[in-house]
Amino acid sequence: MGTDTRSQSTPHQDLQPEQDHASLRDPELQLQLETRERLVRLEEENRHLREKVTDLNDKHKRLRCDLDEKHTISQQQLSDRAGKLSSRIDTLSRRLDRLFGFWMISTMLLMLFVIAVMFRAGH
């Protein structure tokens, strides 16, 4: 019934290896905790950045659509103006042709009149 106390560990001896083990693991645990905290922060930052990228992509799409819409409107306005200018140029060309025709007829009539006057004056 006598047990050898040397082979049995005391509660103090049982705690010693755990404390030594815990003290060895404490820097490791601290490093793991810091790493985990950094990982959590990086994941949150990553999520935040992804949301920001998504928002910026949406904004880019809206701006692109607005730009395309404004471009289409300005192209339509330019096309309308070009059509009006073309019509105006055609109108002015026709007027100029008529004016030139009138000037040619007037000049010929004036020359005939001058020739007739000279002919009468000569006879």
Side-chain angles (χ1 to χ4, degrees):
M1 308 247 169
T3 56
D4 188 12
T5 57
R6 286 181 284 167
S7 64
Q8 291 181 351
S9 60
T10 62
H12 178 66
Q13 287 175 339
D14 285 343
L15 289 178
Q16 185 104 12
E18 287 181 29
Q19 286 176 349
D20 287 344
H21 191 57
S23 66
L24 287 174
R25 292 184 73 199
D26 188 49
E28 291 176 21
L29 286 174
Q30 188 65 30
L31 182 62
Q32 287 178 355
L33 285 174
E34 289 174 3
T35 304
R36 190 154 198 64
E37 288 172 358
R38 274 189 251 146
L39 180 63
V40 168
R41 280 195 310 269
L42 287 173
E43 286 174 347
E44 288 175 4
E45 186 177 346
N46 189 24
R47 183 177 41 79
H48 175 71
L49 289 174
R50 284 181 188 217
E51 289 172 359
K52 204 168 207 175
V53 165
T54 302
D55 292 343
L56 288 173
N57 281 338
D58 292 344
K59 187 175 183 180
H60 178 260
K61 286 178 186 175
R62 283 192 311 272
L63 288 173
R64 190 72 191 153
C65 287
D66 288 348
L67 182 64
D68 289 344
E69 191 175 305
K70 289 181 192 247
H71 179 72
T72 301
I73 290 171
S74 66
Q75 285 296 105
Q76 184 63 38
Q77 288 175 343
L78 279 174
S79 179
D80 291 347
R81 287 179 187 168
K84 287 178 184 176
L85 284 173
S86 177
S87 173
R88 183 74 177 144
I89 288 170
D90 288 345
T91 302
L92 290 174
S93 292
R94 283 193 303 273
R95 286 183 184 173
L96 184 61
D97 287 345
R98 278 188 243 136
L99 184 62
F100 183 72
F102 176 74
W103 177 78
M104 287 293 291
I105 290 172
S106 299
T107 304
M108 284 191 285
L109 287 175
L110 182 62
M111 288 171 54
L112 283 173
F113 178 73
V114 168
I115 291 172
V117 168
M118 288 174 63
F119 184 73
R120 283 189 177 218
H123 278 68

